Amino acid sequence: MKVVVISGSPRKNGNCEKMARDSLEEISKNGIEGVFVSLAELNILPCNACEQCSKEKKCPIDDDMEGVYEVLESADGIVIISPVYFGGVSSQLKALFDRTLLLRKNGLLLKNKVGGAGAVGRSRNGGQELTIQGIHAWMHIHGMVIVGDDNHFGATVQHPYEEDEFGRQTLIRMVRKVCEVVKAKS
Ligand SMILES: Cc1cc2nc3c(=O)[nH]c(=O)nc-3n(C[C@H](O)[C@H](O)[C@H](O)COP(=O)(O)O)c2cc1C
């Protein structure tokens, strides 16, 4: 069993990466292998709609997405954490989302994987839920099984993460739920 955690911030060691590290700790506590992907470390270019991936399972763009395809395909669960940028996901994360068209076109390869989402913004009500909704839309379009935090929609966190204990609890509960459902399905 494997759960991948994607931090969608371009900032190293920022709130998203800290949330991702806590997620990996919780995944490990649940006896599941965790894999960390940080978009602060990768170069992922936007989809240019060439439609090559409709003809063969290959994207002609030469960047770091190849490794991400492999990690996503091999995962049982996917946790996505984004900063709130103008009420939505970061452009780095949106580029990744659009590039996963290849996985949809070649047999709905993310179907039935368990998905959970989190968002962190500078304001308390800065668009965390809207951002989560955007992540959930990507998950729905891939046919994934979406879970929340057994209360609301997932991890809603206010910057700085270290000082938001309430937000941290929403993250831990969401990750725990992803693990529970991954285990139940295996
Ligand atoms: C371009 C940009 C847009 C942002 N828009 C919002 C916003 O709409 N709402 C909000 O609460 N915070 C907003 N923020 C603040 C970030 O969401 C916040 O600082 C977040 O913690 C960054 O995550 P990171 O530390 O992982 O990079 C914005 C920041 C940037 C750079």
Side-chain angles (χ1 to χ4, degrees):
M1 286 177 290
K2 196 190 285 181
V3 174
V4 57
V5 182
I6 298 181
S7 162
S9 172
R11 244 162 44 94
K12 282 189 186 144
N13 213 23
N15 296 282
C16 291
E17 285 200 354
K18 288 174 189 160
M19 289 165 69
R21 281 195 278 275
D22 279 0
S23 302
L24 290 163
E25 204 178 300
E26 184 61 30
I27 290 163
S28 166
K29 274 188 202 161
N30 279 270
I32 295 177
E33 183 191 347
V35 180
F36 181 38
V37 173
S38 172
L39 298 193
E41 309 279 349
L42 301 180
N43 174 36
I44 296 176
L45 297 166
C47 172
N48 55 27
C50 71
E51 295 190 1
Q52 193 62 33
C53 65
S54 301
K55 297 175 197 123
E56 56 173 339
K57 195 182 167 200
K58 182 142 185 57
C59 177
I61 300 173
D62 183 16
D63 61 7
D64 295 325
M65 196 59 199
E66 196 58 43
V68 178
Y69 290 135
E70 285 168 23
V71 173
L72 288 173
E73 256 196 272
S74 69
D76 303 289
I78 300 170
V79 170
I80 305 270
I81 297 164
S82 182
V84 181
Y85 280 1
F86 285 93
V89 297
S90 66
S91 49
Q92 288 77 9
L93 193 55
K94 186 62 169 70
L96 181 151
F97 283 176
D98 291 348
R99 295 284 298 287
T100 62
L101 183 62
L102 176 145
L103 299 174
R104 213 181 111 72
K105 291 281 185 185
N106 289 276
L108 212 56
L109 298 172
L110 301 186
K111 184 177 170 174
N112 291 340
K113 293 184 191 293
V114 183
V120 52
R122 195 170 280 272
S123 303
R124 177 71 265 170
N125 301 305
Q128 284 86 342
E129 289 185 330
L130 268 177
T131 304
I132 287 173
Q133 204 171 34
I135 298 169
H136 284 174
W138 173 78
M139 292 175 169
H140 274 304
I141 291 167
H142 277 292
M144 290 174 61
V145 176
I146 296 168
V147 302
D149 60 340
D150 271 344
N151 194 12
H152 293 107
F153 305 103
T156 51
V157 170
Q158 182 176 20
H159 172 140
Y161 170 60
E162 307 85 290
E163 292 175 22
D164 184 12
E165 182 51 30
F166 176 88
R168 204 183 78 81
Q169 288 307 319
T170 62
L171 175 73
I172 298 304
R173 282 200 302 266
M174 176 273 288
V175 173
R176 202 174 289 154
K177 180 83 178 179
V178 168
C179 293
E180 268 172 33
V181 179
V182 163
K183 283 186 198 167
K185 284 173 76 252
S186 72

mmCIF file of all heavy atoms in Angstrom, residues 88-139:
data_model
loop_
_atom_site.group_PDB
_atom_site.id
_atom_site.type_symbol
_atom_site.label_atom_id
_atom_site.label_comp_id
_atom_site.label_asym_id
_atom_site.label_seq_id
_atom_site.Cartn_x
_atom_site.Cartn_y
_atom_site.Cartn_z
ATOM 1 N N GLY A 88 -7.695 29.823 -5.459
ATOM 2 C CA GLY A 88 -7.589 28.531 -6.149
ATOM 3 C C GLY A 88 -6.215 27.909 -5.958
ATOM 4 O O GLY A 88 -5.414 28.392 -5.139
ATOM 5 N N VAL A 89 -5.934 26.840 -6.700
ATOM 6 C CA VAL A 89 -4.641 26.152 -6.550
ATOM 7 C C VAL A 89 -3.517 26.973 -7.196
ATOM 8 O O VAL A 89 -3.768 27.855 -8.013
ATOM 9 C CB VAL A 89 -4.662 24.732 -7.179
ATOM 10 C CG1 VAL A 89 -5.661 23.825 -6.488
ATOM 11 C CG2 VAL A 89 -4.908 24.778 -8.685
ATOM 12 N N SER A 90 -2.288 26.653 -6.834
ATOM 13 C CA SER A 90 -1.112 27.312 -7.429
ATOM 14 C C SER A 90 -1.016 26.943 -8.912
ATOM 15 O O SER A 90 -1.512 25.894 -9.340
ATOM 16 C CB SER A 90 0.159 26.845 -6.708
ATOM 17 O OG SER A 90 0.377 25.461 -6.958
ATOM 18 N N SER A 91 -0.359 27.773 -9.670
ATOM 19 C CA SER A 91 -0.206 27.461 -11.108
ATOM 20 C C SER A 91 0.677 26.224 -11.290
ATOM 21 O O SER A 91 0.490 25.469 -12.253
ATOM 22 C CB SER A 91 0.352 28.659 -11.874
ATOM 23 O OG SER A 91 1.471 29.176 -11.223
ATOM 24 N N GLN A 92 1.597 25.985 -10.362
ATOM 25 C CA GLN A 92 2.444 24.789 -10.442
ATOM 26 C C GLN A 92 1.579 23.526 -10.350
ATOM 27 O O GLN A 92 1.773 22.564 -11.081
ATOM 28 C CB GLN A 92 3.478 24.800 -9.305
ATOM 29 C CG GLN A 92 4.595 25.818 -9.456
ATOM 30 C CD GLN A 92 4.168 27.250 -9.113
ATOM 31 O OE1 GLN A 92 3.079 27.495 -8.594
ATOM 32 N NE2 GLN A 92 5.037 28.203 -9.405
ATOM 33 N N LEU A 93 0.626 23.561 -9.426
ATOM 34 C CA LEU A 93 -0.248 22.394 -9.245
ATOM 35 C C LEU A 93 -1.205 22.248 -10.429
ATOM 36 O O LEU A 93 -1.471 21.149 -10.903
ATOM 37 C CB LEU A 93 -1.021 22.532 -7.930
ATOM 38 C CG LEU A 93 -1.737 21.295 -7.429
ATOM 39 C CD1 LEU A 93 -0.795 20.102 -7.287
ATOM 40 C CD2 LEU A 93 -2.405 21.584 -6.092
ATOM 41 N N LYS A 94 -1.704 23.376 -10.926
ATOM 42 C CA LYS A 94 -2.626 23.319 -12.079
ATOM 43 C C LYS A 94 -1.907 22.735 -13.297
ATOM 44 O O LYS A 94 -2.502 21.964 -14.066
ATOM 45 C CB LYS A 94 -3.158 24.733 -12.379
ATOM 46 C CG LYS A 94 -4.235 24.762 -13.461
ATOM 47 C CD LYS A 94 -5.467 23.960 -13.060
ATOM 48 C CE LYS A 94 -6.657 24.176 -13.972
ATOM 49 N NZ LYS A 94 -6.528 23.627 -15.310
ATOM 50 N N ALA A 95 -0.629 23.083 -13.450
ATOM 51 C CA ALA A 95 0.142 22.511 -14.571
ATOM 52 C C ALA A 95 0.211 20.992 -14.418
ATOM 53 O O ALA A 95 -0.012 20.250 -15.379
ATOM 54 C CB ALA A 95 1.536 23.120 -14.610
ATOM 55 N N LEU A 96 0.490 20.534 -13.201
ATOM 56 C CA LEU A 96 0.534 19.083 -12.955
ATOM 57 C C LEU A 96 -0.827 18.448 -13.270
ATOM 58 O O LEU A 96 -0.907 17.424 -13.950
ATOM 59 C CB LEU A 96 0.955 18.805 -11.513
ATOM 60 C CG LEU A 96 1.087 17.334 -11.094
ATOM 61 C CD1 LEU A 96 2.145 17.190 -9.992
ATOM 62 C CD2 LEU A 96 -0.212 16.718 -10.593
ATOM 63 N N PHE A 97 -1.903 19.069 -12.774
ATOM 64 C CA PHE A 97 -3.250 18.525 -13.005
ATOM 65 C C PHE A 97 -3.498 18.353 -14.513
ATOM 66 O O PHE A 97 -3.945 17.303 -14.968
ATOM 67 C CB PHE A 97 -4.323 19.452 -12.421
ATOM 68 C CG PHE A 97 -4.491 19.383 -10.922
ATOM 69 C CD1 PHE A 97 -5.373 20.239 -10.269
ATOM 70 C CD2 PHE A 97 -3.783 18.474 -10.156
ATOM 71 C CE1 PHE A 97 -5.553 20.181 -8.892
ATOM 72 C CE2 PHE A 97 -3.948 18.411 -8.775
ATOM 73 C CZ PHE A 97 -4.837 19.270 -8.148
ATOM 74 N N ASP A 98 -3.225 19.414 -15.267
ATOM 75 C CA ASP A 98 -3.528 19.372 -16.708
ATOM 76 C C ASP A 98 -2.691 18.300 -17.408
ATOM 77 O O ASP A 98 -3.181 17.626 -18.328
ATOM 78 C CB ASP A 98 -3.278 20.743 -17.339
ATOM 79 C CG ASP A 98 -4.283 21.789 -16.870
ATOM 80 O OD1 ASP A 98 -5.299 21.402 -16.249
ATOM 81 O OD2 ASP A 98 -4.062 22.987 -17.116
ATOM 82 N N ARG A 99 -1.474 18.130 -16.975
ATOM 83 C CA ARG A 99 -0.592 17.136 -17.613
ATOM 84 C C ARG A 99 -1.044 15.693 -17.339
ATOM 85 O O ARG A 99 -0.638 14.769 -18.042
ATOM 86 C CB ARG A 99 0.849 17.362 -17.150
ATOM 87 C CG ARG A 99 1.439 18.701 -17.612
ATOM 88 C CD ARG A 99 1.842 18.711 -19.060
ATOM 89 N NE ARG A 99 2.887 17.745 -19.334
ATOM 90 C CZ ARG A 99 4.165 17.876 -18.955
ATOM 91 N NH1 ARG A 99 4.554 18.965 -18.310
ATOM 92 N NH2 ARG A 99 5.041 16.935 -19.240
ATOM 93 N N THR A 100 -1.891 15.501 -16.304
ATOM 94 C CA THR A 100 -2.363 14.134 -16.021
ATOM 95 C C THR A 100 -3.467 13.703 -16.993
ATOM 96 O O THR A 100 -3.995 12.600 -16.862
ATOM 97 C CB THR A 100 -2.871 13.977 -14.561
ATOM 98 O OG1 THR A 100 -3.984 14.856 -14.358
ATOM 99 C CG2 THR A 100 -1.782 14.256 -13.557
ATOM 100 N N LEU A 101 -3.756 14.526 -17.976
ATOM 101 C CA LEU A 101 -4.683 14.116 -19.043
ATOM 102 C C LEU A 101 -4.204 12.793 -19.639
ATOM 103 O O LEU A 101 -5.008 11.926 -19.995
ATOM 104 C CB LEU A 101 -4.726 15.214 -20.118
ATOM 105 C CG LEU A 101 -5.694 15.000 -21.278
ATOM 106 C CD1 LEU A 101 -7.135 14.936 -20.770
ATOM 107 C CD2 LEU A 101 -5.562 16.141 -22.296
ATOM 108 N N LEU A 102 -2.879 12.629 -19.711
ATOM 109 C CA LEU A 102 -2.284 11.386 -20.237
ATOM 110 C C LEU A 102 -2.798 10.154 -19.478
ATOM 111 O O LEU A 102 -3.096 9.129 -20.086
ATOM 112 C CB LEU A 102 -0.750 11.488 -20.137
ATOM 113 C CG LEU A 102 0.083 10.284 -20.530
ATOM 114 C CD1 LEU A 102 1.386 10.730 -21.199
ATOM 115 C CD2 LEU A 102 0.442 9.442 -19.307
ATOM 116 N N LEU A 103 -2.939 10.304 -18.150
ATOM 117 C CA LEU A 103 -3.376 9.155 -17.326
ATOM 118 C C LEU A 103 -4.863 8.865 -17.541
ATOM 119 O O LEU A 103 -5.314 7.732 -17.403
ATOM 120 C CB LEU A 103 -3.077 9.418 -15.848
ATOM 121 C CG LEU A 103 -1.602 9.619 -15.492
ATOM 122 C CD1 LEU A 103 -1.447 10.027 -14.028
ATOM 123 C CD2 LEU A 103 -0.794 8.351 -15.764
ATOM 124 N N ARG A 104 -5.616 9.895 -17.869
ATOM 125 C CA ARG A 104 -7.053 9.734 -18.136
ATOM 126 C C ARG A 104 -7.281 9.101 -19.508
ATOM 127 O O ARG A 104 -8.092 8.196 -19.668
ATOM 128 C CB ARG A 104 -7.713 11.122 -18.093
ATOM 129 C CG ARG A 104 -9.115 11.133 -17.578
ATOM 130 C CD ARG A 104 -9.674 12.533 -17.609
ATOM 131 N NE ARG A 104 -10.711 12.626 -18.616
ATOM 132 C CZ ARG A 104 -11.914 12.081 -18.508
ATOM 133 N NH1 ARG A 104 -12.253 11.435 -17.415
ATOM 134 N NH2 ARG A 104 -12.787 12.204 -19.470
ATOM 135 N N LYS A 105 -6.499 9.581 -20.459
ATOM 136 C CA LYS A 105 -6.672 9.146 -21.864
ATOM 137 C C LYS A 105 -6.208 7.707 -22.091
ATOM 138 O O LYS A 105 -6.533 7.114 -23.105
ATOM 139 C CB LYS A 105 -5.875 10.061 -22.799
ATOM 140 C CG LYS A 105 -6.428 11.464 -22.899
ATOM 141 C CD LYS A 105 -7.619 11.507 -23.832
ATOM 142 C CE LYS A 105 -8.112 12.929 -24.026
ATOM 143 N NZ LYS A 105 -9.332 12.970 -24.832
ATOM 144 N N ASN A 106 -5.392 7.199 -21.199
ATOM 145 C CA ASN A 106 -4.804 5.877 -21.421
ATOM 146 C C ASN A 106 -5.342 4.840 -20.440
ATOM 147 O O ASN A 106 -4.578 4.031 -19.893
ATOM 148 C CB ASN A 106 -3.279 5.970 -21.373
ATOM 149 C CG ASN A 106 -2.724 6.699 -22.585
ATOM 150 O OD1 ASN A 106 -2.521 6.103 -23.638
ATOM 151 N ND2 ASN A 106 -2.541 8.002 -22.459
ATOM 152 N N GLY A 107 -6.652 4.882 -20.187
ATOM 153 C CA GLY A 107 -7.285 3.840 -19.375
ATOM 154 C C GLY A 107 -7.729 4.300 -17.998
ATOM 155 O O GLY A 107 -7.829 3.475 -17.086
ATOM 156 N N LEU A 108 -7.972 5.588 -17.837
ATOM 157 C CA LEU A 108 -8.447 6.119 -16.547
ATOM 158 C C LEU A 108 -7.591 5.544 -15.401
ATOM 159 O O LEU A 108 -8.099 4.878 -14.489
ATOM 160 C CB LEU A 108 -9.933 5.775 -16.367
ATOM 161 C CG LEU A 108 -10.812 6.744 -15.578
ATOM 162 C CD1 LEU A 108 -10.768 8.166 -16.157
ATOM 163 C CD2 LEU A 108 -12.253 6.278 -15.529
ATOM 164 N N LEU A 109 -6.302 5.821 -15.471
ATOM 165 C CA LEU A 109 -5.341 5.125 -14.607
ATOM 166 C C LEU A 109 -5.369 5.545 -13.130
ATOM 167 O O LEU A 109 -4.776 4.889 -12.299
ATOM 168 C CB LEU A 109 -3.925 5.272 -15.177
ATOM 169 C CG LEU A 109 -3.766 4.648 -16.567
ATOM 170 C CD1 LEU A 109 -2.396 4.984 -17.173
ATOM 171 C CD2 LEU A 109 -3.954 3.131 -16.516
ATOM 172 N N LEU A 110 -6.082 6.641 -12.820
ATOM 173 C CA LEU A 110 -6.192 7.017 -11.402
ATOM 174 C C LEU A 110 -7.534 6.587 -10.802
ATOM 175 O O LEU A 110 -7.820 6.852 -9.633
ATOM 176 C CB LEU A 110 -6.005 8.530 -11.219
ATOM 177 C CG LEU A 110 -4.670 9.127 -11.698
ATOM 178 C CD1 LEU A 110 -4.579 10.600 -11.313
ATOM 179 C CD2 LEU A 110 -3.478 8.375 -11.129
ATOM 180 N N LYS A 111 -8.340 5.892 -11.612
ATOM 181 C CA LYS A 111 -9.673 5.486 -11.159
ATOM 182 C C LYS A 111 -9.603 4.685 -9.855
ATOM 183 O O LYS A 111 -8.760 3.782 -9.708
ATOM 184 C CB LYS A 111 -10.341 4.641 -12.248
ATOM 185 C CG LYS A 111 -11.758 4.250 -11.905
ATOM 186 C CD LYS A 111 -12.421 3.492 -13.028
ATOM 187 C CE LYS A 111 -13.736 2.935 -12.501
ATOM 188 N NZ LYS A 111 -14.527 2.315 -13.519
ATOM 189 N N ASN A 112 -10.496 5.032 -8.925
ATOM 190 C CA ASN A 112 -10.650 4.345 -7.635
ATOM 191 C C ASN A 112 -9.490 4.510 -6.668
ATOM 192 O O ASN A 112 -9.473 3.884 -5.608
ATOM 193 C CB ASN A 112 -10.971 2.863 -7.828
ATOM 194 C CG ASN A 112 -12.364 2.675 -8.403
ATOM 195 O OD1 ASN A 112 -13.191 3.587 -8.298
ATOM 196 N ND2 ASN A 112 -12.633 1.545 -9.006
ATOM 197 N N LYS A 113 -8.503 5.330 -7.018
ATOM 198 C CA LYS A 113 -7.485 5.662 -6.009
ATOM 199 C C LYS A 113 -8.147 6.606 -5.006
ATOM 200 O O LYS A 113 -9.046 7.366 -5.359
ATOM 201 C CB LYS A 113 -6.272 6.319 -6.672
ATOM 202 C CG LYS A 113 -5.512 5.338 -7.594
ATOM 203 C CD LYS A 113 -4.273 5.958 -8.161
ATOM 204 C CE LYS A 113 -3.664 5.102 -9.271
ATOM 205 N NZ LYS A 113 -3.120 3.818 -8.821
ATOM 206 N N VAL A 114 -7.710 6.535 -3.772
ATOM 207 C CA VAL A 114 -8.341 7.329 -2.711
ATOM 208 C C VAL A 114 -7.684 8.718 -2.666
ATOM 209 O O VAL A 114 -6.455 8.818 -2.651
ATOM 210 C CB VAL A 114 -8.185 6.636 -1.337
ATOM 211 C CG1 VAL A 114 -8.902 7.434 -0.251
ATOM 212 C CG2 VAL A 114 -8.712 5.214 -1.403
ATOM 213 N N GLY A 115 -8.512 9.772 -2.662
ATOM 214 C CA GLY A 115 -7.965 11.126 -2.689
ATOM 215 C C GLY A 115 -8.416 11.983 -1.523
ATOM 216 O O GLY A 115 -9.571 11.934 -1.104
ATOM 217 N N GLY A 116 -7.488 12.773 -0.997
ATOM 218 C CA GLY A 116 -7.804 13.757 0.042
ATOM 219 C C GLY A 116 -7.081 15.056 -0.293
ATOM 220 O O GLY A 116 -6.032 15.045 -0.944
ATOM 221 N N ALA A 117 -7.664 16.171 0.152
ATOM 222 C CA ALA A 117 -7.107 17.474 -0.227
ATOM 223 C C ALA A 117 -6.930 18.396 0.977
ATOM 224 O O ALA A 117 -7.636 18.281 1.981
ATOM 225 C CB ALA A 117 -8.025 18.134 -1.249
ATOM 226 N N GLY A 118 -5.981 19.318 0.828
ATOM 227 C CA GLY A 118 -5.761 20.337 1.852
ATOM 228 C C GLY A 118 -5.339 21.641 1.204
ATOM 229 O O GLY A 118 -4.780 21.641 0.102
ATOM 230 N N ALA A 119 -5.634 22.747 1.894
ATOM 231 C CA ALA A 119 -5.228 24.056 1.376
ATOM 232 C C ALA A 119 -4.824 24.952 2.534
ATOM 233 O O ALA A 119 -5.407 24.881 3.620
ATOM 234 C CB ALA A 119 -6.377 24.691 0.595
ATOM 235 N N VAL A 120 -3.827 25.795 2.271
ATOM 236 C CA VAL A 120 -3.380 26.746 3.294
ATOM 237 C C VAL A 120 -3.343 28.137 2.685
ATOM 238 O O VAL A 120 -2.811 28.343 1.603
ATOM 239 C CB VAL A 120 -2.002 26.350 3.892
ATOM 240 C CG1 VAL A 120 -0.952 26.094 2.832
ATOM 241 C CG2 VAL A 120 -1.515 27.392 4.904
ATOM 242 N N GLY A 121 -3.973 29.092 3.407
ATOM 243 C CA GLY A 121 -3.997 30.481 2.956
ATOM 244 C C GLY A 121 -3.568 31.405 4.072
ATOM 245 O O GLY A 121 -3.559 31.013 5.249
ATOM 246 N N ARG A 122 -3.227 32.644 3.714
ATOM 247 C CA ARG A 122 -2.794 33.594 4.751
ATOM 248 C C ARG A 122 -3.994 34.067 5.582
ATOM 249 O O ARG A 122 -3.876 34.347 6.771
ATOM 250 C CB ARG A 122 -2.068 34.783 4.118
ATOM 251 C CG ARG A 122 -1.293 35.598 5.114
ATOM 252 C CD ARG A 122 -0.398 36.607 4.443
ATOM 253 N NE ARG A 122 0.837 36.040 3.940
ATOM 254 C CZ ARG A 122 1.954 35.915 4.645
ATOM 255 N NH1 ARG A 122 1.984 36.310 5.899
ATOM 256 N NH2 ARG A 122 3.038 35.405 4.108
ATOM 257 N N SER A 123 -5.156 34.128 4.948
ATOM 258 C CA SER A 123 -6.354 34.550 5.679
ATOM 259 C C SER A 123 -7.086 33.326 6.215
ATOM 260 O O SER A 123 -6.991 32.244 5.636
ATOM 261 C CB SER A 123 -7.306 35.308 4.753
ATOM 262 O OG SER A 123 -6.653 36.401 4.190
ATOM 263 N N ARG A 124 -7.858 33.530 7.283
ATOM 264 C CA ARG A 124 -8.626 32.415 7.863
ATOM 265 C C ARG A 124 -9.635 31.879 6.843
ATOM 266 O O ARG A 124 -9.808 30.694 6.676
ATOM 267 C CB ARG A 124 -9.325 32.919 9.145
ATOM 268 C CG ARG A 124 -10.228 31.955 9.853
ATOM 269 C CD ARG A 124 -9.496 30.821 10.565
ATOM 270 N NE ARG A 124 -9.397 29.621 9.756
ATOM 271 C CZ ARG A 124 -8.646 28.574 10.060
ATOM 272 N NH1 ARG A 124 -7.892 28.568 11.132
ATOM 273 N NH2 ARG A 124 -8.603 27.528 9.292
ATOM 274 N N ASN A 125 -10.315 32.826 6.182
ATOM 275 C CA ASN A 125 -11.295 32.440 5.154
ATOM 276 C C ASN A 125 -10.821 32.947 3.802
ATOM 277 O O ASN A 125 -11.517 33.694 3.119
ATOM 278 C CB ASN A 125 -12.678 33.012 5.497
ATOM 279 C CG ASN A 125 -13.152 32.525 6.846
ATOM 280 O OD1 ASN A 125 -13.222 31.330 7.098
ATOM 281 N ND2 ASN A 125 -13.455 33.455 7.727
ATOM 282 N N GLY A 126 -9.644 32.558 3.411
ATOM 283 C CA GLY A 126 -9.023 33.105 2.202
ATOM 284 C C GLY A 126 -9.302 32.325 0.937
ATOM 285 O O GLY A 126 -8.730 32.620 -0.113
ATOM 286 N N GLY A 127 -10.152 31.283 1.058
ATOM 287 C CA GLY A 127 -10.444 30.477 -0.138
ATOM 288 C C GLY A 127 -9.978 29.040 -0.009
ATOM 289 O O GLY A 127 -9.878 28.323 -1.010
ATOM 290 N N GLN A 128 -9.727 28.597 1.235
ATOM 291 C CA GLN A 128 -9.274 27.213 1.436
ATOM 292 C C GLN A 128 -10.286 26.208 0.883
ATOM 293 O O GLN A 128 -9.911 25.248 0.208
ATOM 294 C CB GLN A 128 -9.030 26.949 2.939
ATOM 295 C CG GLN A 128 -7.754 27.554 3.498
ATOM 296 C CD GLN A 128 -7.921 28.997 3.946
ATOM 297 O OE1 GLN A 128 -8.861 29.685 3.561
ATOM 298 N NE2 GLN A 128 -7.009 29.482 4.769
ATOM 299 N N GLU A 129 -11.567 26.423 1.186
ATOM 300 C CA GLU A 129 -12.573 25.453 0.735
ATOM 301 C C GLU A 129 -12.741 25.467 -0.786
ATOM 302 O O GLU A 129 -12.937 24.432 -1.411
ATOM 303 C CB GLU A 129 -13.916 25.700 1.437
ATOM 304 C CG GLU A 129 -13.848 25.309 2.912
ATOM 305 C CD GLU A 129 -15.190 25.427 3.616
ATOM 306 O OE1 GLU A 129 -15.996 26.286 3.213
ATOM 307 O OE2 GLU A 129 -15.432 24.664 4.559
ATOM 308 N N LEU A 130 -12.624 26.669 -1.360
ATOM 309 C CA LEU A 130 -12.703 26.771 -2.831
ATOM 310 C C LEU A 130 -11.541 26.031 -3.476
ATOM 311 O O LEU A 130 -11.692 25.365 -4.499
ATOM 312 C CB LEU A 130 -12.601 28.244 -3.246
ATOM 313 C CG LEU A 130 -13.865 29.048 -3.405
ATOM 314 C CD1 LEU A 130 -13.492 30.496 -3.739
ATOM 315 C CD2 LEU A 130 -14.718 28.463 -4.524
ATOM 316 N N THR A 131 -10.373 26.176 -2.857
ATOM 317 C CA THR A 131 -9.164 25.525 -3.390
ATOM 318 C C THR A 131 -9.304 24.009 -3.299
ATOM 319 O O THR A 131 -8.977 23.276 -4.239
ATOM 320 C CB THR A 131 -7.929 26.033 -2.615
ATOM 321 O OG1 THR A 131 -7.899 27.449 -2.721
ATOM 322 C CG2 THR A 131 -6.639 25.442 -3.147
ATOM 323 N N ILE A 132 -9.832 23.548 -2.164
ATOM 324 C CA ILE A 132 -10.085 22.108 -1.996
ATOM 325 C C ILE A 132 -11.079 21.631 -3.062
ATOM 326 O O ILE A 132 -10.912 20.560 -3.648
ATOM 327 C CB ILE A 132 -10.590 21.817 -0.563
ATOM 328 C CG1 ILE A 132 -9.430 21.963 0.431
ATOM 329 C CG2 ILE A 132 -11.234 20.433 -0.460
ATOM 330 C CD1 ILE A 132 -9.834 21.858 1.890
ATOM 331 N N GLN A 133 -12.078 22.450 -3.323
ATOM 332 C CA GLN A 133 -13.078 22.089 -4.339
ATOM 333 C C GLN A 133 -12.404 21.901 -5.714
ATOM 334 O O GLN A 133 -12.744 20.993 -6.471
ATOM 335 C CB GLN A 133 -14.117 23.206 -4.423
ATOM 336 C CG GLN A 133 -15.446 22.774 -4.944
ATOM 337 C CD GLN A 133 -16.473 23.890 -4.797
ATOM 338 O OE1 GLN A 133 -16.167 25.078 -4.906
ATOM 339 N NE2 GLN A 133 -17.705 23.521 -4.565
ATOM 340 N N GLY A 134 -11.441 22.770 -5.994
ATOM 341 C CA GLY A 134 -10.702 22.657 -7.260
ATOM 342 C C GLY A 134 -9.917 21.357 -7.324
ATOM 343 O O GLY A 134 -9.851 20.705 -8.373
ATOM 344 N N ILE A 135 -9.319 20.974 -6.195
ATOM 345 C CA ILE A 135 -8.558 19.711 -6.141
ATOM 346 C C ILE A 135 -9.531 18.540 -6.288
ATOM 347 O O ILE A 135 -9.274 17.588 -7.029
ATOM 348 C CB ILE A 135 -7.755 19.617 -4.825
ATOM 349 C CG1 ILE A 135 -6.740 20.751 -4.735
ATOM 350 C CG2 ILE A 135 -7.069 18.247 -4.717
ATOM 351 C CD1 ILE A 135 -6.065 20.905 -3.360
ATOM 352 N N HIS A 136 -10.675 18.635 -5.602
ATOM 353 C CA HIS A 136 -11.677 17.562 -5.704
ATOM 354 C C HIS A 136 -12.188 17.421 -7.140
ATOM 355 O O HIS A 136 -12.467 16.303 -7.594
ATOM 356 C CB HIS A 136 -12.857 17.838 -4.761
ATOM 357 C CG HIS A 136 -12.550 17.547 -3.311
ATOM 358 N ND1 HIS A 136 -13.427 17.836 -2.293
ATOM 359 C CD2 HIS A 136 -11.464 16.989 -2.719
ATOM 360 C CE1 HIS A 136 -12.902 17.465 -1.134
ATOM 361 N NE2 HIS A 136 -11.710 16.956 -1.367
ATOM 362 N N ALA A 137 -12.316 18.541 -7.856
ATOM 363 C CA ALA A 137 -12.784 18.475 -9.259
ATOM 364 C C ALA A 137 -11.817 17.620 -10.081
ATOM 365 O O ALA A 137 -12.232 16.753 -10.850
ATOM 366 C CB ALA A 137 -12.894 19.882 -9.845
ATOM 367 N N TRP A 138 -10.513 17.855 -9.883
ATOM 368 C CA TRP A 138 -9.495 17.054 -10.599
ATOM 369 C C TRP A 138 -9.658 15.577 -10.227
ATOM 370 O O TRP A 138 -9.635 14.705 -11.104
ATOM 371 C CB TRP A 138 -8.104 17.583 -10.214
ATOM 372 C CG TRP A 138 -6.964 16.760 -10.734
ATOM 373 C CD1 TRP A 138 -6.473 16.766 -12.013
ATOM 374 C CD2 TRP A 138 -6.173 15.815 -9.998
ATOM 375 N NE1 TRP A 138 -5.427 15.874 -12.107
ATOM 376 C CE2 TRP A 138 -5.215 15.285 -10.891
ATOM 377 C CE3 TRP A 138 -6.164 15.366 -8.672
ATOM 378 C CZ2 TRP A 138 -4.266 14.333 -10.505
ATOM 379 C CZ3 TRP A 138 -5.220 14.420 -8.290
ATOM 380 C CH2 TRP A 138 -4.293 13.908 -9.198
ATOM 381 N N MET A 139 -9.882 15.307 -8.948
ATOM 382 C CA MET A 139 -10.018 13.914 -8.497
ATOM 383 C C MET A 139 -11.273 13.263 -9.091
ATOM 384 O O MET A 139 -11.246 12.119 -9.530
ATOM 385 C CB MET A 139 -10.041 13.852 -6.963
ATOM 386 C CG MET A 139 -8.701 14.227 -6.346
ATOM 387 S SD MET A 139 -8.747 14.293 -4.543
ATOM 388 C CE MET A 139 -6.975 14.426 -4.192
#
